[in-house]
Amino acid sequence: MSKRPLEGLRVADFSWFGAGPIAANTLCHFGAEVVRIESETKVDGIRMVHPFAMNPDGTFKSGYNVSGYFNNYNTGKLSMSLNLNTEKGQEIGYRIIEKSDFFLTNFTPRVVDKWNLRYDQITKVNPSIIAAYAPMQGLEGPHRDFLGFGAVLTPVTGISEMSGFPNRPPFGIGTNYPDYVINPGHTVTAMLAAHRYRLKTGKGQCVELPQLESVVNALGTAVAERLANGTNPTRTGNRHPAYSPHGAFRCADDPGSVNSPDRWVVVACRDDAEWMRVAGVLGHGDIAQDGRFNSLVARKDNEDELEGLINSWTAGWKAEELCAALQAAGVPAGVVQNAQDMLDRDPHLKAREYYQYVEHAEAGREAHDSPAARLSETPGWVPGPAPLMGEHTMDVCERIIGLTMDEIADLLAEGVLV
């Protein structure tokens, strides 16, 4: 088996919830040993969030170790229980940082200050550490202590303003998207850039990634459009300024689609020729020459009527069959897939074995996301299940920081390892 590119490196993961742990999970997939610092005094809320693993009788399992959310984003990590609200707990935290190559946190600066984890403090025990701080709005500034999740970041960064339909209130994007993609992706990139600098110079550095500013990076051309022509981009639904039709169209219901029988196909017509082929596939080739629809300008002027007609034509089609017919005609089209499709029915993902399965001690068999990128010579993979709460406390204490059994027993008795 190939060696993974980050083997031999260790991450002291002092983060929680989404963005921080997901970033550390990527590093773990590519070989880093990740020590996840947790505490029963303040349990990571993601350990208590659905979906939970199920019992054979259909009821949900309970406890800190059966959340599919937590388990998917913490695969292969070590979990250490440590109470950082105590002086001795902070001393143990320093000893872990001393033995690590990376430090990562997404707590607010207020909590970082409380736990004495500022960059100037941790570099006293490890001058070459790469320390990544990813609070919601940065280490300094009037909003430095504001906290929140992706569902807060999407409105305050303008994403929600541009998500939804023009005749309805801002809709957002349905998930904490910044937590899953934008912020962890930027954090990993920045940490690896700092690692490259350290390889060249021997020096570590502080990485500050305000999640607010990270997400603003994903606004695309909205701010540039405002700067260039003074407009204020807002919600346009599924429509595109230069393509028509461009949207999601309702197909026949699929009773085999669990809890979500409605099915849709997305279509993007980039020119008149593609529109003519769509009309032909749907059995209404003559409509393409109608004066209301025979040019982009005409279609944009009559877009409501056009979309109503297409929806009436697609309603009798099975989504997968219509998608195949449109693609065969050279039209960009795709089925709007749900979770069942992605996991069980998508032939491409199955053929590529995207989802990797592991056995978890309490949750049972679980499917996990593979690494997002495949390296030909040093590939990453899911190294094992997510840890049980505090599962590796003894291992970290003995193997990594060299405590004796008597010292560990004293720390347990004093409520430091909890």
Side-chain angles (χ1 to χ4, degrees), residues 318-335:
K318 185 177 180 179
E320 290 77 8
E321 293 176 356
L322 177 56
C323 176
L326 290 170
Q327 290 179 354
V331 176
V335 175

Side-chain angles (χ1 to χ4, degrees), residues 9 20 26 46 83 129 134 141 146 162 266 302 312 320 326 392:
L9 299 175
T26 299
I46 296 303
N83 185 357
I129 193 78
F146 284 18
M162 295 185 291
V266 292
N302 297 282
S312 69
E320 290 77 8
L326 290 170
H392 304 97

Side-chain angles (χ1 to χ4, degrees), residues 105-137:
T105 184
N106 60 342
F107 281 97
T108 64
R110 180 187 63 81
V111 176
V112 169
D113 290 344
K114 176 183 176 183
W115 288 343
N116 295 306
L117 293 173
R118 295 192 310 272
Y119 181 64
D120 65 298
Q121 294 171 311
I122 66 176
T123 50
K124 291 177 180 177
V125 298
N126 188 342
S128 65
I129 193 78
I130 292 169
Y133 297 85
M136 183 178 174
Q137 299 208 29

Side-chain angles (χ1 to χ4, degrees), residues 154-165:
T154 47
V156 301
T157 59
I159 289 177
S160 293
E161 168 64 24
M162 295 185 291
S163 302
F165 294 90

Side-chain angles (χ1 to χ4, degrees), residues 57 122 168 231 369:
D57 65 359
I122 66 176
R168 299 179 186 177
T231 59
D369 290 297

